Amino acid sequence: MSKSISIPAQTYTGNVRDFGSLVTFLISQLKPRGKMLTPFNIITAPIILVGGVLIVIRFWKGIGYVSNLSQEFPWGIWIGFDVVTGVAFAAGAYVLTFVVDILKFKKYEPVLRATVLNGLLAYVFYSGALLIDIGRPWNIVNPIIGNKFGFSSVMFLVAWHFLLYMICEFLEFAPAIAEWLGWWKLRKFLHAITAGAVILGITLSTLHQAGLGSLFLLARNKIHPLWYSQHIPMLFFVSSIFAGLSIVIIESSLTHRIFAHRLPKGNHGGHDEIVLGLSKGAAGTMLAYFFLKIVEIVHGQNIHLLSTPMGQWYLLEVLGFVLFPAFLFLSAIKRRSVKMAQFAAVLTALGIMLNRLNISIIAFKWDSPNHYYPSWHEVVITGAIISIELWAFRWIVNRMPVLDERHDPQEVKMNNRRH
Amino acid sequence: MSFKRRDFLKVAAGTAGLALLGPGKSADASSAVPNPNNPEFFGMLIDTTACIGCRACEQACGEQNKLAEQPAEYWDDKTMDQPRDTTPDTYLVVNKYPNPADPSKPIFSRKQCMHCNQPACASACLVKGLEKTKEGPVNYDKTRCMGCRYCMIACPFDIPKFNYDSPTPVISKCVFCTSRLKNGEKPACADACPTGATLFGTRRELLEEAKKRIYTNPGKYHNKIYGENEVGGTGFMYLSSVPFEQIGMKKNIGSTPYPEDTLGFLFSVPLVDVLWPALLAGLYSISKGKDAENQKDEKETHHE
């Protein structure tokens, strides 16, 4: 291979041989890097602080003190946004591992690690958010180690697939950690099992993306007929593909700006190609999804509902945030306009958010005289969780080899010697 | 004070109830004694035409389940002016509805867990915190419950309640006096009912009784037994003189048991778990071969 890979010097400080050097290394890595008073820090730090206080109150006094959840609306934004929307947004990881590790489209490799890391962090923090939402979190291990397995429960399957997928994602990301620590033998082993973790991860993702939708199958008489259908699982799965792809476009575009110092030199043209390539995938799945939605409406004999206020809300979601961005993607590919593709990705992500919130909150008991609106506490706690997640992402990206290309152990060893 | 009034009502209503039902109609079902070895499961028949709104059942329920005591004004009839929902502290409520035939005689009906034959809540629960027992009750076990509230999302009747104001919340709802059934006693509410409006028995017996009442009293009942087919059948069933939506019962909940809605997905899980890895591994081995070839080509061109 003649192509040389430039490795930022500070990445491979790890040469950890024993426990003592591991501790010293970790302590040296824990130190914050860069300026403290950035606009990002100034906004997120108070949110995290206030959110932390609210979380303490929630565990001390009860969920009712910090939320607008009620007997009528037991699930709010902690489920509808943090979990149901967040998991769809994290779908990029399984879609990209499929494209890169199974189909071997090497073109997308530069954005793979960041995407997997994002997915992993999303899952870790959403299960964290779940601990806040569920009333008896000390029993959370029951579906895993308890002797009472609710096999008939969709939630049981989702919980197991969720947990196993987190392990898979950790294994997929682990090579970066091994490289960071300079543990090459482990790195070699992890590299060997990556394909297995990827195959298992895609399978588990398919099911729990669909499973999150299936949760709502039991709310037959509570969800507006335009959103309720027997095919929610399929719709959730298909939409998770373009949800994930659009988030990869947004996230990689942002990280390429923010973490430019971490990128291998001369990779910017490559990123444009990646965005346009991902746009093709998004547009294709979005058109397929739109077609499914039409079939759904015709089959459910719900066309007459489109003229009601809820019907217009539905049309806004499906036309304005699925069909329109799909055409924007197509147009962006034709004109080779990365900016347009990024705009389309933002619209698509908003559309996914709208869809998930519609099913879990807005169209849920749409005909009730009461409605649920999140309390400011709920919003701040959600904001705090997202902020901590972004801090963790930044910390890892600034230390581990995430944004640079994946390395062959042999190559890195040679490079390391040269340094 | 209210106690005495209630006791008086019980006696008064007992006599009135007999007159109301006519001879022989308070019937066998109400005297059914639970037999723990009975393979048939238990249910209740609520004949709202016999209910006088004395709320003895409500009071008995609170005492039996050791629920928080209610203030004196709670027992005032005015409480019933607005239809009420069950709460974490009241598993059973009696509600008052206008009677279109005779405005001076309002219709009373009660609301509590319906103890579905195939409960949505139990199929939703991932730790079997809610479970349908073979005797009929849908029981709750707080040592298993995670507090995820999926049962509340799933229940077609919105029965499970959650005390949001506690750091150690639980799901609360009627458990059909399981402990009393085990001792061979009737549930507290059925025991307390002075008019036979709440009848206890096996579900089969109660269905027979309900049909008999409809057929032998032409014009008295709306010709339907609520709970016979609703969501696949419920343990608690209702008779009424007016269409059921007029006494606060849910309409449009269908006759398919709720758990069936998720069966398709649940069956697809093992299929996907087996098929996907096989397909993906196949794809992987194909593209891996291609990849190796490409690399070989690359190397060769480099050598040149």
Side-chain angles (χ1 to χ4, degrees):
Chain A
M1 289 269 240
S2 56
K3 196 173 65 174
S4 76
I5 299 157
S6 76
I7 300 161
Q10 73 265 38
T11 307
Y12 297 106
T13 44
N15 192 15
V16 179
R17 295 267 167 266
D18 51 48
F19 185 72
S21 60
L22 176 65
V23 173
T24 350
F25 175 68
L26 287 180
I27 290 172
S28 76
Q29 293 282 304
L30 272 175
K31 263 186 260 166
R33 286 186 187 158
K35 278 194 293 183
M36 296 292 278
L37 286 175
T38 58
F40 174 74
N41 285 358
I42 291 170
I43 296 169
T44 50
I47 297 179
I48 294 174
L49 277 177
V50 178
V53 173
L54 293 175
I55 290 171
V56 171
I57 295 176
R58 175 259 170 268
F59 281 106
W60 182 29
K61 296 277 234 172
I63 297 170
Y65 285 82
V66 293
S67 78
N68 281 350
L69 297 175
S70 61
Q71 308 298 349
E72 209 179 350
F73 295 95
W75 284 358
I77 59 164
W78 289 342
I79 299 292
F81 181 74
D82 298 19
V83 179
V84 180
T85 311
V87 166
F89 281 174
Y94 87 84
V95 179
L96 268 198
T97 51
F98 176 68
V99 171
V100 175
D101 287 323
I102 303 294
L103 299 180
K104 300 287 180 194
F105 283 104
K106 295 284 177 187
K107 177 176 148 188
Y108 301 101
E109 207 165 341
V111 293
L112 182 63
R113 268 198 183 166
T115 305
V116 171
L117 172 63
N118 240 327
L120 175 63
L121 288 178
Y123 278 87
V124 169
F125 282 92
Y126 303 149
S127 33
L130 267 177
L131 283 175
I132 296 168
D133 181 80
I134 66 172
R136 305 172 65 78
W138 53 92
N139 280 343
I140 197 165
V141 291
N142 278 4
I144 310 297
I145 60 150
N147 56 350
K148 290 293 174 187
F149 290 155
F151 289 116
S152 66
S153 167
V154 176
M155 186 81 93
F156 177 77
L157 288 159
V158 171
W160 267 96
H161 285 79
F162 214 91
L163 175 81
L164 294 176
Y165 184 54
M166 270 164 74
I167 297 171
C168 287
E169 272 196 318
F170 181 75
L171 289 177
E172 287 165 19
F173 185 70
I177 302 175
E179 285 168 24
W180 174 56
L181 294 169
W183 289 353
W184 301 111
K185 271 188 187 158
L186 181 67
R187 163 72 176 74
K188 210 176 164 190
F189 168 73
L190 288 169
H191 185 73
I193 62 166
T194 297
V198 164
I199 288 175
L200 200 56
I202 296 167
T203 307
L204 295 165
S205 285
T206 307
L207 284 170
H208 81 241
Q209 292 287 354
L212 273 182
S214 311
L215 289 178
F216 296 97
L217 288 176
L218 277 181
R220 190 205 295 158
N221 66 335
K222 297 180 190 173
I223 295 177
H224 191 280
L226 281 172
W227 281 275
Y228 183 88
S229 97
Q230 278 300 307
H231 302 112
I232 293 181
M234 177 61 85
L235 293 169
F236 262 55
F237 170 64
V238 175
S239 59
S240 79
I241 298 174
F242 59 80
L245 289 173
S246 62
I247 291 295
V248 174
I249 292 175
I250 297 169
E251 175 266 320
S252 70
S253 301
L254 287 174
T255 45
H256 271 237
R257 271 198 194 172
I258 299 167
F259 299 100
H261 59 289
R262 301 288 303 175
L263 293 171
K265 277 164 207 150
N267 198 30
H268 287 275
H271 185 249
D272 289 356
E273 284 307 312
I274 289 174
V275 167
L276 293 175
L278 295 175
S279 299
K280 280 183 206 164
T285 41
M286 285 167 90
L287 291 174
Y289 176 77
F290 182 73
F291 178 72
L292 284 177
K293 281 285 204 185
I294 294 176
V295 172
E296 198 53 55
I297 274 202
V298 175
H299 235 259
Q301 300 180 331
N302 288 325
I303 294 178
H304 64 284
L305 291 173
L306 291 176
S307 57
T308 62
M310 281 311 269
Q312 275 145 26
W313 182 241
Y314 176 86
L315 284 177
L316 177 73
E317 177 198 314
V318 175
L319 296 180
F321 290 92
V322 179
L323 194 60
F324 177 55
F327 279 117
L328 275 185
F329 272 131
L330 289 176
S331 164
I333 297 160
K334 207 175 163 197
R335 297 180 196 188
R336 303 195 49 77
S337 163
V338 173
K339 283 227 166 82
M340 193 188 251
Q342 288 163 336
F343 177 62
V346 171
L347 282 188
T348 307
L350 285 176
I352 287 294
M353 196 168 98
L354 199 57
N355 173 257
R356 298 304 197 257
L357 289 180
N358 273 335
I359 287 178
S360 58
I361 295 172
I362 299 168
F364 182 82
K365 295 194 181 166
W366 82 102
D367 52 352
S368 159
N370 306 315
H371 289 286
Y372 157 86
Y373 299 98
S375 69
W376 68 266
H377 315 77
E378 280 172 83
V379 176
V380 170
I381 289 177
T382 296
I385 290 163
I386 295 172
S387 301
I388 302 172
E389 188 192 333
L390 292 174
W391 282 42
F393 183 78
R394 180 177 61 179
W395 187 88
I396 294 170
V397 165
N398 274 331
R399 282 158 187 81
M400 298 182 196
V402 174
L403 292 177
D404 16 9
E405 285 169 58
R406 270 205 259 183
H407 311 290
D408 217 273
Q410 283 307 317
E411 241 170 83
V412 177
K413 247 186 196 169
M414 283 163 62
N415 269 304
N416 239 20
R417 273 182 208 137
R418 263 180 249 148
H419 271 290
Chain B
M1 196 187 81
S2 67
F3 252 87
K4 273 179 190 158
R5 191 180 77 102
R6 222 141 284 283
D7 287 347
F8 163 74
L9 273 177
K10 273 190 203 176
V11 180
T15 21
L18 278 180
L20 214 94
L21 288 166
K25 268 172 222 146
S26 71
D28 359 1
S30 72
S31 58
V33 174
N35 171 4
N37 302 318
N38 195 332
E40 287 184 80
F41 60 87
F42 295 117
M44 295 265 210
L45 178 63
I46 319 293
D47 187 341
T48 58
T49 64
C51 181
I52 53 165
C54 71
R55 296 166 73 195
C57 51
E58 221 181 303
Q59 204 167 28
C61 177
E63 283 162 22
Q64 170 68 30
N65 292 297
K66 301 188 179 63
L67 302 177
E69 256 185 60
Q70 303 288 358
E73 60 269 24
Y74 179 82
W75 298 107
D76 196 277
D77 282 347
K78 279 204 185 94
T79 316
M80 288 192 290
D81 286 350
Q82 291 293 320
R84 296 171 299 153
D85 195 5
T86 59
T87 70
D89 292 320
T90 41
Y91 300 172
L92 160 62
V93 288
V94 177
N95 281 325
K96 187 167 79 175
Y97 299 95
N99 185 350
D102 183 358
S104 68
K105 283 183 188 158
I107 303 170
F108 296 97
S109 181
R110 39 178 287 189
K111 183 174 183 181
Q112 75 295 307
C113 175
M114 300 289 283
H115 296 277
C116 305
N117 296 357
Q118 294 184 56
C121 61
S123 87
C125 188
L126 73 169
V127 288
K128 292 195 177 171
L130 286 163
E131 230 178 340
K132 176 85 177 169
T133 57
K134 63 180 192 306
E135 291 82 18
V138 177
N139 270 342
Y140 174 67
D141 182 347
K142 69 173 179 187
T143 62
R144 295 174 187 166
C145 175
M146 280 167 52
C148 73
R149 308 188 292 286
Y150 187 28
C151 51
M152 299 170 73
I153 296 282
C155 174
F157 304 102
D158 282 328
I159 288 300
K161 295 294 184 298
F162 187 77
N163 47 346
Y164 289 98
D165 293 334
S166 161
T168 56
V170 288
I171 290 288
S172 39
K173 68 167 200 72
C174 158
V175 290
F176 211 154
C177 287
T178 303
S179 55
R180 288 177 64 102
L181 292 191
K182 274 186 189 146
N183 294 334
E185 294 171 293
K186 286 188 205 177
C189 58
D191 208 25
C193 183
T195 65
T198 293
L199 296 182
F200 170 76
T202 67
R203 190 170 183 273
R204 190 184 50 80
E205 286 169 339
L206 293 172
L207 254 180
E208 297 273 305
E209 174 67 19
K211 283 177 185 162
K212 195 173 99 194
R213 288 189 185 193
I214 291 176
Y215 288 132
T216 50
N217 296 281
K220 184 176 177 186
Y221 294 103
H222 175 63
N223 188 11
K224 180 180 159 74
I225 304 163
Y226 190 95
E228 182 182 12
N229 299 313
E230 272 65 23
V231 295
T234 58
F236 280 49
M237 295 171 291
Y238 287 73
L239 285 175
S240 164
S241 58
V242 294
F244 287 96
E245 57 271 24
Q246 291 179 23
I247 55 167
M249 307 300 285
K250 288 243 156 95
K251 227 179 127 185
N252 299 332
I253 48 174
S255 54
T256 333
Y258 267 45
E260 281 182 15
D261 287 345
T262 55
L263 277 189
F265 174 72
L266 291 173
F267 286 154
S268 75
V269 169
L271 280 182
V272 173
D273 271 340
V274 172
L275 284 179
W276 251 228
L279 291 173
L280 291 169
L283 271 178
Y284 174 72
S285 58
I286 292 171
S287 57
K288 197 184 170 196
K290 193 184 77 189
D291 198 41
E293 256 170 46
N294 284 348
Q295 276 181 359
K296 220 168 109 189
D297 287 350
E298 232 173 67
K299 264 183 196 164
E300 273 162 16
T301 45
H302 272 296
H303 280 296
E304 284 158 20

